[in-house]
Amino acid sequence: MRLLFWPCLFSSSSFVFFGVNWQRVFLTSLQSVTHFDEIMTLITRIGDPATLFFVIVPCVMWAFDTQLGLQLLIAVIVSDFTNAVLKFPLRGDRPYWVFSELRQFEPTCESGFGMPSGHGSLWIAVSLNILFSSFFFILRSVMVSTALWTLIASRIGNKHVIISTSIFLLLIAVSRVYVAAHFIDQVLAGYLWGLLVAKLIDRNFATLYKRFLAATVIHRLKVVSTVALIAGAIVALEYHVIAIVSDPLQSLEYAKMGCKIPNGVHLTTGPLVGTLRDIGVLVGAGIALSIHPILPLPTKTTFSEWLWSSLWRVGLGLLCLKSISWTAGKLKPDGQGVLFWAHQFLWFFALAFAMVRMVPLGRTQKGHELIQK
């Protein structure tokens, strides 16, 4: 990632030095390569935070290492919540608000402010927490069970994993700029913020989780409710302070004016939605963990047993989460407002609660103890 830092920093400084005209030239030149429309749109969809909530975190939690899955979930919550809180005071414009000549795509018209990038901060926070952990040791412990996987494992080293992750993060950054959802300095700011969150979570999660497990059920519920109330108080205070000087929903108006796609504005990316979604995940996962703590109970299994049990468990679990999301989508109210915000909170509360409750009993906290040859 250090190789990517300086080019991004230079580009960000160039925006400031050359001004608005340089930004316009850069974005229009980037979008002139129309052959990349589909792939850039696909990459930015893959990089959506929903992929982390609904796919990456559940798969890690159910099939590999439950504690790592919970750590990734906390990294997503903290990164997404703080990112949403920062967007209010920083108030960064999005490219499609500023330059009407830019081409727009289905993911373009997000309705929140652009600084910092949520895609950037979430993905780097999750990627670094995976790289900091023993996750790749878990993968190798699975791979060495057969000659084929032994061959694959021998060809994949930590260096290649880091390079592949860096390329993926770079592609997400380019795709966000390509679809006119972010300026490059906003993506850079998101990556830097995600780096701080990743380090914070990696250093403190194991200790805090151990203390959480050692507490009584009542104490756990008190901790969850206290953290949720503090987060809600932060959002409410910031919302009312901003309301004194400007309209807290101003970014939504900018999005409606700048978006050229009929009904293309994404309300789920608007003000307050992200923070309420994160509080819902926190409360749902916290209550589920309080009444159903995930204890370190090592199990032994062969590779084939692990593979088949993981496939049906992940498949059934993702189908359950998809059913919850489909039901929530049918019940979603129109427009922004109290009902819409309550719907987002309850939707992600249900998803997080179900995700944690579906963790198999006996799943150990240390993934490399799970799978024996």
Side-chain angles (χ1 to χ4, degrees), residues 333-350:
D334 297 329
Q336 290 270 16
V338 175
L339 288 179
F340 179 78
W341 296 331
H343 170 271
Q344 293 292 306
F345 173 86
L346 293 173
W347 176 9
F348 280 82
F349 169 89

Side-chain angles (χ1 to χ4, degrees), residues 53-54 57-58 61-62 70 73 280-281 283-289 291-292 294 313 316-325 346-360:
F53 275 118
F54 302 150
V57 171
M61 188 181 297
W62 297 333
L70 292 172
L73 182 62
V281 172
V283 175
I287 292 177
L289 276 176
I291 61 179
H292 172 64
I294 305 200
R313 185 183 300 117
L316 186 63
L318 293 180
L319 180 63
C320 178
L321 296 185
K322 184 64 177 179
S323 300
I324 295 174
S325 297
L346 293 173
W347 176 9
F348 280 82
F349 169 89
L351 285 171
F353 185 86
M355 187 189 305
V356 174
R357 288 293 294 173
M358 284 188 289
V359 172

Side-chain angles (χ1 to χ4, degrees), residues 59-118:
C59 287
V60 173
M61 188 181 297
W62 297 333
F64 290 102
D65 190 326
T66 298
Q67 181 165 320
L68 176 58
L70 292 172
Q71 182 173 331
L72 297 184
L73 182 62
I74 296 300
V76 170
I77 294 172
V78 173
S79 179
D80 196 41
F81 181 83
T82 54
N83 180 277
V85 170
L86 287 172
K87 285 180 183 291
F88 272 114
L90 296 179
R91 304 177 69 81
D93 291 339
R94 294 185 181 270
Y96 78 94
W97 299 354
V98 181
F99 307 127
S100 60
E101 66 270 24
L102 293 177
R103 293 190 297 126
Q104 297 182 7
F105 306 87
E106 190 276 331
T108 297
C109 300
E110 298 192 359
S111 54
F113 286 107
M115 174 67 85
S117 167

Side-chain angles (χ1 to χ4, degrees), residues 3 22 100 115-116 121 140 160 175 179 211 235 245 252 368:
L3 296 176
W22 194 92
S100 60
M115 174 67 85
S121 63
R140 291 185 181 186
H160 298 90
S175 71
V179 301
R211 292 179 181 176
V235 175
V245 295
L252 181 59
H368 62 267

